[in-house]
Amino acid sequence: MAQTMVNFRMDTDLKTEMEKTCKRMGLTMTAAFTMFATKVTREQRIPFEITGDPFYSADNIAELEKRVSELQKGIRTLKEHELIGEQ
């Protein structure tokens, strides 16, 4: 089977942690990505669930931009609050 080189950019810290994780599993990153590519190709899908973070929804971003604008205009002030889901 012919081999080819694949290049892509990744956050440096993520790459370091990925290498450590693969090493603990007895794999190289190349082997891990090859396994991923093989599974994607065979199943014609990403082999895990991918969901969007609702924080980045268009409605939430619009609300945040509105609040920042109000802060800059002095219409709104910052106030401390409990984070949702904090225990």
Side-chain angles (χ1 to χ4, degrees):
M1 179 185 317
Q3 299 285 307
T4 189
M5 179 72 72
V6 177
N7 294 304
F8 57 91
R9 297 191 184 281
M10 177 185 291
D11 176 82
T12 301
D13 293 336
L14 177 60
K15 178 181 181 280
T16 300
E17 291 304 311
M18 175 71 171
E19 287 171 327
K20 288 178 187 177
T21 301
C22 287
K23 186 174 183 178
R24 285 193 299 270
M25 293 189 293
L27 298 169
T28 63
M29 278 185 46
T30 297
F33 284 115
T34 299
M35 290 167 61
F36 173 77
T38 301
K39 190 157 181 75
V40 167
T41 303
R42 283 186 183 151
E43 296 181 8
Q44 296 293 295
R45 67 180 191 88
I46 301 296
F48 46 83
E49 185 177 349
I50 299 173
T51 60
D53 185 339
F55 179 84
Y56 297 101
S57 70
D59 289 342
N60 196 48
I61 296 301
E63 178 65 23
L64 292 171
E65 288 172 346
K66 178 183 133 203
R67 290 181 184 200
V68 167
S69 176
E70 290 174 354
L71 281 168
Q72 291 170 338
K73 293 175 184 173
I75 298 170
R76 179 184 289 268
T77 59
L78 292 176
K79 60 183 177 182
E80 187 175 339
H81 65 86
E82 298 273 329
L83 292 176
I84 297 171
E86 285 288 308
Q87 303 293 342

